[in-house]
Amino acid sequence: MSDPARVDDPAAIAAADPHGARDVLAGFPAQCRAGSLIDAARLPAVKRPRVIVIAGMGGSAAAADLVAACAAERVEVPVVVHRGYGLPSVAWDDTLVVAVSYSGDTVEVLSAVDAARTRRLPVLVVSAGGTLGELAVKRRLAWARVPGGLMPRMALGYLFFPIARALRALDIDVVAADDVAEALGVLEGMAQALGVERPTADNEAKRLAVAIADRWPAVYGGPVTGPVAYRWKTDMEENAKTFALAGALPEMNHNTIEAWRAPLARNLHLVLLRDAGETPEIRRRFEILSDLVSDVAGGVSVCQSRGRSVLARLLSLAYLGQWTSYYLALLHGVDPWSVPRLDEIKRRLSGG
Ligand code: F6R
């Protein structure tokens, strides 16, 4: 078992986090604020699109999920998140393609831009540079150019907010300006409460990581917070280098619930992402789930979203997940920044 005292020991934290991921996480609210002011150059004067397809992978796709979740609550234009090569067949006439890749070198996203060119679709690029940045310049594509130097999954604020801002400029208001202001305020309040200086007794993310310890987290959200549960899973995998499960209610009540049995479930730590916007039906489902699973699970933790708007509620849970996976990395004694296996796949694919 990992030593829980490690997350409160400054020397141990500095040794386990040589790239300073803690500073990037502490700066997340400022990153979001800066991201909310980044304009896209050469934004196309397109008429209102029939559909928006956002192509991205991994940490960049998490920004796309957030756009889709906000849009689902507010706008009638469907937002399709595309994780893969090329473009889906829905991306035809009157489609706006958003190509989001923090590094700008993700081959799947580059192939989506090529497909958009073949189909003569307008493209908005969101990237710190890379090949995608070069393409944006060469082909005069709209480009929200964001600051580089981060790990893509830690650049959520630089990826989400410029997409939302560009869509607003195209008259597709996926988030209200007031909601952006509210979300930034909520995140600023959380930064202090979750940072490394705040001891475990008074720090929700440290407490959660200590509670999860060597078990695998199984994170479930509701209909709105489901995409954030998936984001928790990927943060656990990439930061803490552990397996994690994710799902959403009500769907998991129709399948995964059967797998929650002793003795296997003892290896899992159930994390429930609860939300003030839950309907009574979903609230009841969470209660029944807790009741059925608490005795067989290795542990159970409940996290509550903060804020009023969907954006604040989703971002507050995502931020809590980032910090929790960070502390879990420290407990596991792994570097929360580097992703050597992911890099190795990219290197081999490029023939390096
Ligand atoms: C690494 C990370 C990955 C990347 C993914 C795609 O920090 O988060 O999930 O996001 O490999 O790369 P980008 O985001 O550069 O297109």
Side-chain angles (χ1 to χ4, degrees):
M1 225 308 263
S2 36
D3 177 11
R6 202 182 283 178
V7 294
D8 284 331
D9 175 353
I13 294 173
D17 177 18
H19 298 94
R22 59 195 178 284
D23 299 328
V24 175
L25 295 191
F28 183 64
Q31 180 196 122
C32 289
R33 195 171 283 283
S36 73
L37 300 173
I38 294 176
D39 277 319
R42 294 184 294 273
L43 207 55
V46 287
K47 68 174 170 56
R48 202 175 173 78
R50 177 181 55 85
V51 56
I52 299 165
V53 174
I54 312 184
M57 302 301 300
S60 294
D65 280 341
L66 206 51
V67 173
C70 291
E73 299 291 307
R74 278 178 63 84
V75 298
E76 70 280 12
V77 182
V79 174
V80 176
V81 178
H82 179 67
R83 290 175 161 92
Y85 289 88
L87 283 173
S89 42
V90 73
W92 213 250
D93 285 350
D94 302 328
T95 300
L96 171 68
V97 175
V98 180
V100 55
S101 167
Y102 184 71
S103 64
D105 290 321
T106 297
V107 288
E108 295 92 323
V109 180
L110 293 170
S111 78
V113 174
D114 280 346
R117 190 181 206 203
T118 310
R119 299 182 197 185
R120 298 176 188 281
L121 299 174
V123 176
L124 162 66
V125 165
V126 182
S127 175
T131 311
L132 199 52
E134 286 165 20
L135 274 182
V137 172
K138 200 166 121 207
R139 296 185 191 164
R140 300 199 51 75
L141 304 174
W143 181 13
R145 184 179 192 164
V146 306
L150 302 180
M151 274 300 185
R153 64 189 182 281
M154 296 179 192
L156 184 64
Y158 281 147
L159 298 171
F160 167 77
F161 283 99
I163 301 177
R165 188 172 169 94
L167 293 183
R168 183 175 316 140
L170 297 175
D171 208 23
I172 303 162
D173 220 359
V174 292
V175 260
D178 282 359
D179 295 353
V180 171
E182 190 226 354
L184 295 177
V186 167
L187 293 176
E188 275 154 8
M190 291 176 74
Q192 289 276 317
L194 302 179
V196 290
E197 286 83 18
R198 189 65 71 92
T200 302
D202 199 18
N203 186 320
E204 186 180 2
K206 287 186 180 181
R207 276 205 312 276
L208 265 165
V210 169
I212 296 168
D214 293 330
R215 290 189 285 264
W216 292 347
V219 189
Y220 297 111
V224 178
T225 58
V228 180
Y230 184 72
R231 164 71 180 189
W232 274 60
K233 168 179 142 69
T234 59
D235 269 347
M236 295 290 176
E237 292 160 344
E238 291 183 68
N239 297 343
K241 281 80 178 163
T242 183
F243 283 113
L245 284 74
L249 276 68
E251 177 64 13
M252 70 78 66
N253 286 174
H254 298 269
N255 31 59
T256 322
I257 186 63
E258 280 304 326
W260 277 93
R261 291 168 189 258
L264 218 59
R266 284 267 167 263
N267 302 321
L268 299 177
H269 188 98
L270 180 71
V271 180
L272 300 177
L273 304 185
R274 304 294 305 267
D275 179 37
E278 273 162 20
T279 60
E281 292 89 344
I282 294 297
R283 206 170 306 134
R284 184 76 188 115
R285 283 180 182 274
F286 269 115
E287 285 162 11
I288 297 172
L289 174 66
S290 305
D291 196 41
L292 284 176
V293 162
S294 297
D295 286 349
V296 289
V300 183
S301 299
V302 180
C303 308
Q304 195 65 47
S305 65
R306 294 148 165 95
R308 171 193 49 77
S309 61
V310 168
L311 180 64
R313 280 149 44 207
L314 293 180
L315 275 178
S316 63
L317 284 173
Y319 195 31
L320 179 61
Q322 287 194 308
W323 274 116
T324 304
S325 61
Y326 173 82
Y327 293 123
L328 205 57
L330 300 188
L331 291 173
H332 289 181
V334 293
D335 175 4
W337 183 271
S338 314
V339 280
R341 309 213 114 213
L342 217 142
D343 292 341
E344 170 76 4
I345 290 182
K346 291 185 182 182
R347 193 184 60 72
R348 287 203 203 180
L349 280 170
S350 68

mmCIF file of all heavy atoms in Angstrom, residues 57-60 101-104 106 151-153 238 339 342 346, ligand 1:
data_model
loop_
_atom_site.group_PDB
_atom_site.id
_atom_site.type_symbol
_atom_site.label_atom_id
_atom_site.label_comp_id
_atom_site.label_asym_id
_atom_site.label_seq_id
_atom_site.Cartn_x
_atom_site.Cartn_y
_atom_site.Cartn_z
ATOM 1 N N MET A 57 -8.657 13.696 -30.428
ATOM 2 C CA MET A 57 -8.349 12.444 -29.724
ATOM 3 C C MET A 57 -7.876 12.772 -28.310
ATOM 4 O O MET A 57 -7.319 13.848 -28.063
ATOM 5 C CB MET A 57 -7.219 11.679 -30.446
ATOM 6 C CG MET A 57 -7.462 11.318 -31.899
ATOM 7 S SD MET A 57 -8.905 10.273 -32.198
ATOM 8 C CE MET A 57 -8.500 8.830 -31.252
ATOM 9 N N GLY A 58 -8.074 11.825 -27.413
ATOM 10 C CA GLY A 58 -7.509 11.922 -26.069
ATOM 11 C C GLY A 58 -7.884 13.204 -25.344
ATOM 12 O O GLY A 58 -9.050 13.598 -25.300
ATOM 13 N N GLY A 59 -6.885 13.878 -24.789
ATOM 14 C CA GLY A 59 -7.122 15.086 -24.011
ATOM 15 C C GLY A 59 -7.799 16.177 -24.836
ATOM 16 O O GLY A 59 -8.597 16.968 -24.308
ATOM 17 N N SER A 60 -7.491 16.238 -26.126
ATOM 18 C CA SER A 60 -8.136 17.252 -26.971
ATOM 19 C C SER A 60 -9.608 16.915 -27.183
ATOM 20 O O SER A 60 -10.463 17.820 -27.218
ATOM 21 C CB SER A 60 -7.414 17.367 -28.313
ATOM 22 O OG SER A 60 -6.111 17.876 -28.123
ATOM 23 N N SER A 101 -6.426 19.651 -31.867
ATOM 24 C CA SER A 101 -5.280 18.824 -31.459
ATOM 25 C C SER A 101 -4.275 19.758 -30.810
ATOM 26 O O SER A 101 -3.729 20.641 -31.492
ATOM 27 C CB SER A 101 -4.659 18.124 -32.670
ATOM 28 O OG SER A 101 -3.403 17.589 -32.308
ATOM 29 N N TYR A 102 -4.038 19.539 -29.525
ATOM 30 C CA TYR A 102 -3.137 20.469 -28.826
ATOM 31 C C TYR A 102 -1.754 20.480 -29.474
ATOM 32 O O TYR A 102 -1.227 21.533 -29.793
ATOM 33 C CB TYR A 102 -3.038 20.095 -27.341
ATOM 34 C CG TYR A 102 -2.211 21.085 -26.564
ATOM 35 C CD1 TYR A 102 -2.696 22.364 -26.300
ATOM 36 C CD2 TYR A 102 -0.935 20.762 -26.119
ATOM 37 C CE1 TYR A 102 -1.929 23.301 -25.611
ATOM 38 C CE2 TYR A 102 -0.169 21.684 -25.428
ATOM 39 C CZ TYR A 102 -0.669 22.945 -25.172
ATOM 40 O OH TYR A 102 0.092 23.861 -24.498
ATOM 41 N N SER A 103 -1.199 19.298 -29.714
ATOM 42 C CA SER A 103 0.139 19.236 -30.321
ATOM 43 C C SER A 103 0.093 19.646 -31.794
ATOM 44 O O SER A 103 1.068 20.148 -32.341
ATOM 45 C CB SER A 103 0.698 17.819 -30.229
ATOM 46 O OG SER A 103 -0.116 16.931 -30.989
ATOM 47 N N GLY A 104 -1.032 19.386 -32.426
ATOM 48 C CA GLY A 104 -1.162 19.649 -33.864
ATOM 49 C C GLY A 104 -0.564 18.530 -34.709
ATOM 50 O O GLY A 104 -0.479 18.646 -35.926
ATOM 51 N N THR A 106 -1.471 15.066 -34.324
ATOM 52 C CA THR A 106 -2.231 13.815 -34.174
ATOM 53 C C THR A 106 -2.776 13.389 -35.532
ATOM 54 O O THR A 106 -3.552 14.117 -36.165
ATOM 55 C CB THR A 106 -3.347 14.025 -33.129
ATOM 56 O OG1 THR A 106 -2.698 14.302 -31.891
ATOM 57 C CG2 THR A 106 -4.225 12.810 -32.976
ATOM 58 N N MET A 151 0.986 19.430 -21.369
ATOM 59 C CA MET A 151 0.478 18.140 -21.803
ATOM 60 C C MET A 151 -0.959 18.380 -22.299
ATOM 61 O O MET A 151 -1.726 19.075 -21.605
ATOM 62 C CB MET A 151 0.462 17.160 -20.635
ATOM 63 C CG MET A 151 1.775 16.463 -20.458
ATOM 64 S SD MET A 151 2.134 15.549 -21.971
ATOM 65 C CE MET A 151 3.594 14.697 -21.505
ATOM 66 N N PRO A 152 -1.355 17.809 -23.442
ATOM 67 C CA PRO A 152 -2.691 18.108 -23.986
ATOM 68 C C PRO A 152 -3.820 17.968 -22.971
ATOM 69 O O PRO A 152 -4.719 18.802 -22.901
ATOM 70 C CB PRO A 152 -2.837 17.097 -25.116
ATOM 71 C CG PRO A 152 -1.445 16.817 -25.562
ATOM 72 C CD PRO A 152 -0.587 16.918 -24.334
ATOM 73 N N ARG A 153 -3.744 16.901 -22.151
ATOM 74 C CA ARG A 153 -4.850 16.693 -21.197
ATOM 75 C C ARG A 153 -4.880 17.759 -20.108
ATOM 76 O O ARG A 153 -5.887 17.901 -19.421
ATOM 77 C CB ARG A 153 -4.751 15.294 -20.581
ATOM 78 C CG ARG A 153 -3.499 15.083 -19.754
ATOM 79 C CD ARG A 153 -3.346 13.635 -19.343
ATOM 80 N NE ARG A 153 -2.168 13.417 -18.518
ATOM 81 C CZ ARG A 153 -0.923 13.312 -18.963
ATOM 82 N NH1 ARG A 153 -0.674 13.444 -20.257
ATOM 83 N NH2 ARG A 153 0.092 13.099 -18.134
ATOM 84 N N GLU A 238 -3.880 8.186 -17.600
ATOM 85 C CA GLU A 238 -2.687 8.884 -18.084
ATOM 86 C C GLU A 238 -1.850 9.474 -16.950
ATOM 87 O O GLU A 238 -0.634 9.475 -17.007
ATOM 88 C CB GLU A 238 -3.084 9.986 -19.063
ATOM 89 C CG GLU A 238 -3.623 9.431 -20.376
ATOM 90 C CD GLU A 238 -3.941 10.521 -21.378
ATOM 91 O OE1 GLU A 238 -3.009 11.183 -21.865
ATOM 92 O OE2 GLU A 238 -5.138 10.742 -21.663
ATOM 93 N N VAL A 339 3.935 10.376 -20.433
ATOM 94 C CA VAL A 339 3.111 9.253 -20.927
ATOM 95 C C VAL A 339 3.958 8.451 -21.919
ATOM 96 O O VAL A 339 3.713 8.479 -23.125
ATOM 97 C CB VAL A 339 1.784 9.748 -21.559
ATOM 98 C CG1 VAL A 339 0.755 10.065 -20.492
ATOM 99 C CG2 VAL A 339 1.986 10.980 -22.442
ATOM 100 N N LEU A 342 2.258 5.999 -24.527
ATOM 101 C CA LEU A 342 1.511 6.746 -25.548
ATOM 102 C C LEU A 342 2.492 7.332 -26.589
ATOM 103 O O LEU A 342 2.276 7.228 -27.796
ATOM 104 C CB LEU A 342 0.828 7.893 -24.789
ATOM 105 C CG LEU A 342 -0.545 8.361 -25.136
ATOM 106 C CD1 LEU A 342 -1.279 8.713 -23.873
ATOM 107 C CD2 LEU A 342 -0.405 9.586 -25.998
ATOM 108 N N LYS A 346 3.033 6.577 -30.784
ATOM 109 C CA LYS A 346 3.108 7.627 -31.813
ATOM 110 C C LYS A 346 4.438 7.541 -32.567
ATOM 111 O O LYS A 346 4.492 7.702 -33.780
ATOM 112 C CB LYS A 346 2.948 9.006 -31.155
ATOM 113 C CG LYS A 346 1.539 9.249 -30.615
ATOM 114 C CD LYS A 346 1.356 10.654 -30.066
ATOM 115 C CE LYS A 346 -0.041 10.830 -29.490
ATOM 116 N NZ LYS A 346 -0.343 12.150 -28.987
HETATM 117 C C1 F6R B 1 -1.410 13.532 -23.536
HETATM 118 C C2 F6R B 1 -2.846 13.410 -23.793
HETATM 119 C C3 F6R B 1 -3.273 12.564 -24.956
HETATM 120 C C4 F6R B 1 -3.368 13.441 -26.210
HETATM 121 C C5 F6R B 1 -3.677 12.600 -27.451
HETATM 122 C C6 F6R B 1 -3.864 13.444 -28.678
HETATM 123 O O1 F6R B 1 -1.240 14.473 -22.528
HETATM 124 O O2 F6R B 1 -3.638 13.978 -23.122
HETATM 125 O O3 F6R B 1 -4.499 11.957 -24.641
HETATM 126 O O4 F6R B 1 -4.358 14.411 -26.030
HETATM 127 O O5 F6R B 1 -2.651 11.685 -27.655
HETATM 128 O O6 F6R B 1 -2.857 14.388 -28.819
HETATM 129 P P1 F6R B 1 -3.242 15.906 -29.103
HETATM 130 O O7 F6R B 1 -4.140 16.311 -27.994
HETATM 131 O O8 F6R B 1 -1.961 16.649 -29.129
HETATM 132 O O9 F6R B 1 -3.934 15.892 -30.412
#
